[in-house]
C-alpha cells in the first residue's frame, strides 16, 4: 500500500512531489524518497523516519540542485525488507541513471534477481522492487526506448504493480505501468502527473485518467500515450472527479470504513501473493522458524484481542482439521494471568492488526518467558509485536484507518489459513493434491468477496427494514461461529445496540429464553454440513417471534422456510466462508450505523490501538 507520485514538465517539481507525498500520508508509510531526473543526472534522496519520513525528506531536499523539471516520489509501506532508507524507493539500476518506484509485490523477484546477478547486476536493497530497475536497465542495454524497455521487462514479471521509471539518458519522460495496484494520470497545460491516488495531484491536474491493468503509459510535458502489454495503442478512460481533498482521501467514499470494506478483495489478494514456490511449497519470507520446528510442533496457542481474536478462532478449525495439531485460542488479556502451561513444542501465535495491542504483546512476552516460540501475525511491518516475536507473517491489508477492523480481519484469516496449509504440508497430514485444491480455493476468495460487495443493495434493504430493532443475536456453527462473533462485534461497536454472537448449538442452553418478538436473529448458514442443524435452530427462534436474517449461499432454496430476509453470498470451501460471509455482516453494521446517524469511522469510547491494559 505504498504511495506513488510523478511529475514531468513542471518548474515546481520538487515542491509538487513533497506536497503530494504529504497528501498520501493518510495511507500510512514507514519511509519515503524522491528522485529528480534530467539529462545526465539522477538525484535521489531517501529517508526512513516512520511518519516523520516526509518531513525528514523535506529537510534533505534543501540540498537539492536547482533546475529539475521532472521527478518521481514514493512513500513506502514495507512488505519485503525492513523499513530502512536502503530499502526505500526510488531504487536505481547499476548505472545510477534509471530510477524506479513501485507499489505492489513482484512474485518472481528471486528468480529474476538470480538471473540478473549472474549477468553482473549488483543489488543494494532487500526488496522485491529493485529487480525492476535492473530488468529495465537490461532491456535498455539492447537499445530499446524506455517505454519499450518497460514493456519488455513486464513480460517477465509476475505479481502486482503500479510502477514509474525514469532514465537520465531519456530525460523528461516517465514511463508508468499497472497491474492490480491503482494508478492515475493527470494533465494540466505543459505538465503531466502520475499518482497512485488522486489526492496526491488533486490540486495540480485539471483532468484525470485511469490506467488499467497491463497498460503502459509514457508521460511527457506535452501529455501522454499508452499501450497494452502487446504494444498496441490504448486510450485511457477519463475520470470525472469533483472531489474535495477529504473525499479524495477516502477514494470517493463517504468514510474510511466503506473504503476499507471495499478494499477487502485486494487485502486478501495481497496477503496471498508470493507465498507459493513453483514446486508447490508454501513459503513465508518473514517466517524465521525452521521447517523442522514447525513439523515437530505439539500444540499451537493463539492469543489475540477483539476482531483479531475472532480471526484466531477461525484458525483453530483450519489448523486442527488440516495439520492435526491441537490448538488453543486465548483472549490475550486473559492468557498471561492464568499461569499458562508452555510445554516443549508449544508454538504461540500472536495475532494483531496494529502489532501494538498491549494485551497481546504482554501475552506473547509471557509465552516467550516460559520458553515458547512466538510467531506474530501483524499488519504493520516492524510493529512491537513483530520485532519481539521469533518470526512474523505480515498481512498486507494496508493502513486501516477506521476504528472498526474490517479488511485486517479477512487478511488475518487468509494468512492464518495459509499457515495452516503450510503446517499440513510439513507434517504430511494432507495429500498434496488437497493442498493444491485448497490453495486454489483460497485464491478464489478475493473474487467471491468482490461479488458479495456488489450486492450491497440487498443489505441496504434489510438494514432499512430493521432500523428500529434493539436486540440482535448472531448465530453460527463451526467457522460460522467466529463469523457470528465478528458480525455481532461490528454491529455493537458501530451502532451501540445490543448484539451477541453465539454458537447456534448453545441456543437451547440459555439464550433461547431471551428470544421474543422484536428480537433479530442473524444466522450464518453457508456450510452444507451444518445446514440441517442451523435450520432447526432457526425454526425454534422463528416460532418464538424473532425476525430472522440468514446469510446463505446462492443455491440454498430451503432457507426460505425460516428466513424473513436472506443475504446471498457465493458458495466457497466451508473453511474459507468467514472471509466471504463477514462481508454482508460488516455492510449490515455499517448501514444500520449510518441509518442511526452514528460516526462509523470513530465509534464512541473506542480507540484504534489499545496500548493500555
Ligand atoms: C474491532 C476492533 C478491535 C481490535 C482489537 C485488537 O473492530 O478493531 O476489537 O480488533 O482492539 O486490535 P489489534 O488487532 O490491533 O491487536
Amino acid at each position: 500500500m505504498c504511495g506513488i507520485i510523478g511529475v514531468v514538465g513542471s518548474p515546481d517539481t520538487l515542491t509538487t512531489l513533497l506536497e503530494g507525498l504529504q497528501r498520501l500520508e493518510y495511507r500510512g508509510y514507514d519511509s519515503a524518497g524522491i528522485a529528480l531526473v534530467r539529462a545526465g543526472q539522477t538525484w535521489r534522496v531517501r529517508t526512513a523516519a516512520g511518519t516523520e519520513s516526509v518531513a525528514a525528506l523535506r529537510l534533505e531536499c534543501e540540498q537539492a540542485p536547482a533546475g529539475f523539471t521532472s521527478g518521481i516520489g514514493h512513500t513506502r509501506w514495507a512488505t519485503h525488507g525492513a523499513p530502512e532508507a536502503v530499502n526505500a524507493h526510488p531504487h536505481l539500476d547499476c548505472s545510477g541513471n534509471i530510477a524506479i518506484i513501485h507499489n505492489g509485490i513482484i512474485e518472481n523477484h528471486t528468480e529474476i534477481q538470480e538471473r540478473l546477478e549472474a549477468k553482473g547486476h549488483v543489488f543494494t536493497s532487500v526488496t522485491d522492487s529493485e529487480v525492476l530497475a535492473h530488468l529495465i536497465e537490461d532491456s535498455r542495454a539492447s537499445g530499446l526506448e524506455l517505454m519499450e524497455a518497460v514493456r519488455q521487462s513486464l513480460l517477465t514479471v509476475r505479481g502486482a504493480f503500479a510502477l514509474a521509471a525514469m532514465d537520465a539518458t531519456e530525460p523528461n519522460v516517465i514511463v508508468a505501468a499497472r497491474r492490480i495496484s491503482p494508478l492515475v494520470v493527470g494533465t494540466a497545460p505543459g505538465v503531466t502527473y502520475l499518482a497512485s491516488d488522486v489526492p496526491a495531484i488533486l490540486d495540480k491536474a485539471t483532468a484525470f485518467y485511469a490506467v488499467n491493468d497491463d497498460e503502459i503509459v509514457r508521460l511527457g510535458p506535452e501529455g501522454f500515450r499508452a499501450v497494452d502489454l502487446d504494444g498496441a495503442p490504448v486510450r485511457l478512460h477519463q475520470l470525472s472527479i469533483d472531489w474535495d481533498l477529504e473525499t479524495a482521501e477516502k477514494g470517493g467514499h463517504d468514510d474510511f470504513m466503506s473504503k476499507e470494506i471495499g478494499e477487502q478483495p485486494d487485502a486478501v489478494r495481497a496477503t496471498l501473493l508470493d507465498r507459493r514456490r513453483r514446486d508447490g511449497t508454501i513459503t513465508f519470507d518473514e517466517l524465521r522458524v525452521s521447517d523442522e520446528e514447525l513439523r515437530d510442533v505439539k500444540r499451537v496457542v493463539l492469543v489475540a484481542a477483539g476482531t483479531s481474536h475472532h480471526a484466531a478462532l477461525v484458525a483453530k478449525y483450519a489448523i486442527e482439521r488440516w495439520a492435526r495439531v491441537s490448538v488453543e485460542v486465548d483472549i490475550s488479556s486473559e492468557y498471561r494471568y492464568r499461569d499458562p502451561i508452555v510445554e516443549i513444542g508449544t508454538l504461540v501465535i500472536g495475532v494483531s492488526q496494529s502489532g501494538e495491542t498491549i494485551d497481546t504483546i504482554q501475552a506473547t512476552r509471557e509465552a516467550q518467558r516460559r520458553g515458547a516460540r512466538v510467531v506474530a501475525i501483524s499488519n504493520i511491518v516492524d510493529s512491537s509485536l513483530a520485532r519481539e516475536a521469533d518470526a512474523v507473517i505480515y498481512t498486507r491489508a494496508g493502513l486501516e484507518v477506521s476504528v472498526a477492523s474490517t479488511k485486517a480481519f479477512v487478511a488475518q484469516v487468509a494468512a492464518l489459513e495459509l499457515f495452516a496449509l503450510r503446517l499440513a504440508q510439513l507434517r504430511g497430514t494432507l495429500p498434496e493434491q488437497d493442498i493444491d485444491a485448497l490453495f486454489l480455493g483460497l485464491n478464489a476468495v478475493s473474487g467471491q468477496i468482490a461479488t458479495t460487495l456488489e450486492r450491497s443493495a440487498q443489505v441496504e434493504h434489510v438494514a432499512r427494514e430493521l432500523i428500529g430493532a434493539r436486540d440482535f443475536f448472531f448465530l453460527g456453527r463451526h467457522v460460522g461461529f467466529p463469523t457470528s462473533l465478528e458480525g455481532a462485534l461490528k454491529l455493537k461497536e458501530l451502532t451501540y445496540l445490543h448484539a451477541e454472537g453465539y454458537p447456534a448449538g448453545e441456543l437451547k442452553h440459555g439464550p433461547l429464553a431471551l428470544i421474543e418478538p422484536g428480537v433479530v436473529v442473524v444466522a450464518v448458514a453457508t456450510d452444507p454440513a451444518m445446514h440441517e442443524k442451523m435450520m432447526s435452530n432457526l425454526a425454534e427462534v422463528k416460532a418464538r417471534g424473532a425476525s430472522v436474517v440468514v446469510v446463505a449461499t446462492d443455491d440454498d432454496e430451503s432457507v426460505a422456510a425460516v428466513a424473513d430476509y436472506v443475504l446471498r453470498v457465493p458458495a466457497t470451501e466451508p473453511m474459507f466462508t468467514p472471509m466471504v460471509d463477514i462481508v454482508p455482516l460488516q455492510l449490515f453494521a455499517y448501514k444500520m450505523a449510518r441509518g442511526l446517524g452514528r460516526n462509523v469511522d470513530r465509534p464512541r469510547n473506542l480507540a484504534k490501538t489499545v496500548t493500555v491494559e
Side-chain angles (χ1 to χ4, degrees), residues 9 88 117-118 130 135 151 227 245 268 350 369 402 459 538 599:
E117 278 174 338
E130 194 185 343
L135 257 184
R151 189 183 74 80
V227 295
L245 183 60
V268 170
R369 256 196 302 274
S402 177
V459 189
L538 292 179
N599 181 340

Side-chain angles (χ1 to χ4, degrees), residues 51-65:
T51 51
E52 298 304 311
S53 298
V54 176
L57 201 61
R58 205 178 273 277
L59 278 178
E60 298 270 342
C61 283
E62 286 174 7
Q63 313 302 321

Side-chain angles (χ1 to χ4, degrees), residues 305-308 351-355 357 403-405 412 489-490 493 610:
T307 290
S308 299
V351 188
S352 172
Q353 184 284 128
S354 61
T357 299
V403 166
S405 188
Q412 285 168 340
L489 178 62
K490 288 291 89 89
E493 64 184 335
V610 183

Side-chain angles (χ1 to χ4, degrees), residues 254-267:
D254 290 332
D255 37 64
F256 281 105
M257 185 173 181
S258 50
K259 173 175 178 277
E260 287 161 11
I261 289 175
E263 286 169 349
Q264 292 183 110
D266 287 343

Side-chain angles (χ1 to χ4, degrees), residues 122-144:
V122 178
F123 285 73
T124 55
S125 74
V126 193
T127 65
D128 54 327
S129 308
E130 194 185 343
V131 294
L132 293 169
H134 297 278
L135 257 184
I136 295 168
E137 178 182 26
D138 213 49
S139 301
R140 289 278 278 156
S142 56
L144 298 177

Side-chain angles (χ1 to χ4, degrees), residues 256-257 260 400-406 494 600-603 608:
F256 281 105
M257 185 173 181
E260 287 161 11
E400 202 175 56
V401 176
S402 177
V403 166
S405 188
T406 52
L494 290 179
V600 287
D601 280 343
R602 295 191 181 283
K608 182 69 186 158

